[in-house]
Structure formats: C-alpha cells, structure tokens
Amino acid sequence: MLTLALFLAGVAATGCGGRATTHHKPGTSHEQASGSVGTLLTATDAGGHRFREVPAEGAPEVQLTVRPDSEDGWNLQLAVKNYRFTPDSTGGAALPGAGHAHLELDGRKLARLYGPWFHLPAAQVPEGAHTLTVRLYADDHTAWAVAGKPVEGTAQLTATAPGQAGGHSHGDTPPPTQAPQPEQADRTVTITVRDGKVSPAPARTELRRGERVALRVTSDRADTLHVHGYDKELALPAGQEATLTLTADRTGLFEVETHTSGLVLTQLLVR
C-alpha cells in the first residue's frame, strides 16, 4: 500500500504526460504556495502580487538591455544572476532563485517572460520616450524582493514615427496591407469575461494530440491571455474579441488564464 501511495503521489505531482501543471481550481485566482522561502510581505505590485522578501546575499538580480531590431521594434535581453527561468513549473510553489518575469512599459504590463530574450514589436510602443521595467517573480506569482523593494531592472526607450530618424521604416512607400487569413481549427472555445466572472463556467476542454484549438475570448477589461505549458500569449483589448489558435502537440493538463485578473478560463486536457 505504501508503494501504491507513493506512485499515486508521483502521478499527481507531474500530471498527464509527465509534465508539471499549475494548481488552480477553474474560476479561482492564484493561490498562495505553502512553501517557506523568504518572507511574504503585505506590499504588492500594481497587479496585486505580494512581495516575497529574501536576504540580499544570494538574492536574484536582473539587468535589462534594449537594442533596436533591424526589421521591427527592439530586442530585449535579461541578464540574470542567482536566478533561472522555470516555465514548466509556473503556478507551483515558490522555489529559491526560480520563476519568470513581467515586462512593463511605463508601469503597464505588456507580457510575461519565460527566458532571457524577448522581441518587442514597434506597434506596441507609442511614439515618445518610455521606461521599460522587468520584474522577477516566483512560480507562485509572488514578486521577489530585497529590503522591501522588488527585484527589477529598467531601461529607457524612445519610439519615433515611421520614416523619422531612429524609426524602423524600410522605404518611403509602405507595402500594401493584406487582410490576415483566419487560421483553421479543429475545435473552437468561446469564452466571455465580464465583471470578474467567466462564462461559460471554466471546465476542461479535451483534445487529441495534434488537434488545433481556437480560443476565442472577449473581456470587458484589457488583459492578457496565457496558455501554460505552451508559452502562448495574446493581448485582450477591452470589449473586443481576440482569438488565439494553437496546435495541441504536447500531452498533459494545461491551464488557460488571464494575467491581470488571474482567472482560469479553461483547462486543455491533451491526450
């Protein structure tokens, strides 16, 4: 019986397909991990994530470097110390020196980062001078902090209009714009978020490996859609329908959630 219990515990820890999964119940916000790493403070970031303070010695560190891309936008590099990116365990307990990062433009969250490189398209940056900030988080979505301040790095960025010096135009005449062709999907999941509630109620969407699923989401507030395990994100403009189509090429249980509101929209069960 002891052997059976250990086997079942191992299955529960890894989920289907032997990969780590997150630990939310559908329709709930992020739960605090039961780990004892550092000290949870009452202070939070703008998104409501609590600070997890650790001693300065051996604490995570991050520096941000921004370089113009020859085709479009900018390439961002996160140089980290005493830290590793762990996308497969996002949503689990806080582990020392591990997790992911958030990217902000003038205090507004743009994306969640799971590695040291990120391409920022010019279309996401209005004309003018801006401040980019990257902040390090634990797997349980608490923000790493030292002496009451979050562990983060900043860089300045100036965006110019196309065709001006410093812009990213490659000719006087822009190419003709073609309407994007809709991606074909085997399954379509339509979800609405209004007043902090998900409709229809979050449930599991079962898929066969290799199937393509379209996640069609309308949110009454601006947010970001994220598919755990696939590292797919999609901006959700307020009041507008947005669609993310992906191929379910990994087996397991993967949560689909919103960043700002922290709501689970559905769970993709891929067999």
Side-chain angles (χ1 to χ4, degrees):
M1 292 184 65
L2 177 60
T3 301
L4 177 60
L6 291 174
F7 172 77
L8 292 175
V11 172
T14 58
C16 299
R19 295 181 175 86
T21 62
T22 54
H23 308 293
H24 303 296
K25 294 180 180 179
T28 64
S29 300
H30 292 300
E31 298 174 349
Q32 296 293 343
S34 59
S36 58
V37 179
T39 302
L40 278 176
L41 306 181
T42 56
T44 66
D45 65 4
H49 302 88
R50 293 178 65 180
F51 291 172
R52 183 177 291 275
E53 185 168 275
V54 293
E57 183 176 357
E61 300 177 21
V62 60
Q63 291 184 338
L64 176 63
T65 302
V66 180
R67 300 181 180 89
D69 184 85
S70 60
E71 293 294 328
D72 171 71
W74 299 265
N75 293 316
L76 280 54
Q77 181 182 14
L78 283 66
V80 297
K81 183 179 180 181
N82 303 322
Y83 189 80
R84 66 189 189 281
F85 291 97
T86 52
D88 286 342
S89 57
T90 300
L95 299 177
H100 55 275
H102 288 187
L103 172 65
E104 295 182 352
L105 177 71
D106 300 331
R108 177 175 63 87
K109 183 178 175 182
L110 291 182
R112 186 187 294 178
L113 311 184
Y114 293 96
W117 288 95
F118 181 80
H119 178 254
L120 177 61
Q124 294 190 21
V125 183
E127 183 179 354
H130 305 279
T131 299
L132 285 173
T133 303
V134 288
R135 187 175 303 116
L136 300 184
Y137 290 78
D139 284 330
D140 69 341
H141 303 282
T142 53
W144 293 112
V146 175
K149 296 183 178 180
V151 176
E152 60 186 28
T154 62
Q156 302 304 310
L157 180 153
T158 300
T160 58
Q164 294 184 0
H168 298 278
S169 176
H170 296 277
D172 296 330
T173 303
T177 302
Q178 296 181 352
Q181 297 299 316
E183 296 182 273
Q184 298 297 318
D186 301 299
R187 295 280 304 278
T188 298
V189 181
T190 302
I191 301 169
T192 300
V193 180
R194 183 176 297 277
D195 297 328
K197 296 182 179 180
V198 181
S199 178
R204 289 184 178 179
T205 301
E206 296 192 12
L207 301 166
R208 295 189 303 272
R209 184 172 183 176
E211 280 191 313
R212 290 179 61 77
V213 58
L215 302 171
R216 187 174 297 167
V217 181
T218 303
S219 174
D220 60 346
R221 297 181 180 180
D223 213 320
T224 303
L225 175 75
H226 176 71
V227 183
H228 282 289
Y230 285 87
D231 295 337
K232 297 290 187 181
E233 294 190 346
L234 176 69
L236 300 176
Q240 299 181 28
E241 183 180 85
T243 302
L244 173 65
T245 303
L246 62 86
T247 301
D249 54 5
R250 299 179 61 186
T251 58
L253 181 62
F254 308 97
E255 287 186 349
V256 180
E257 65 171 3
T258 55
H259 279 177
T260 302
S261 56
L263 295 173
V264 174
L265 306 183
T266 188
Q267 294 177 326
L268 303 181
L269 179 58
V270 185
R271 302 182 185 276

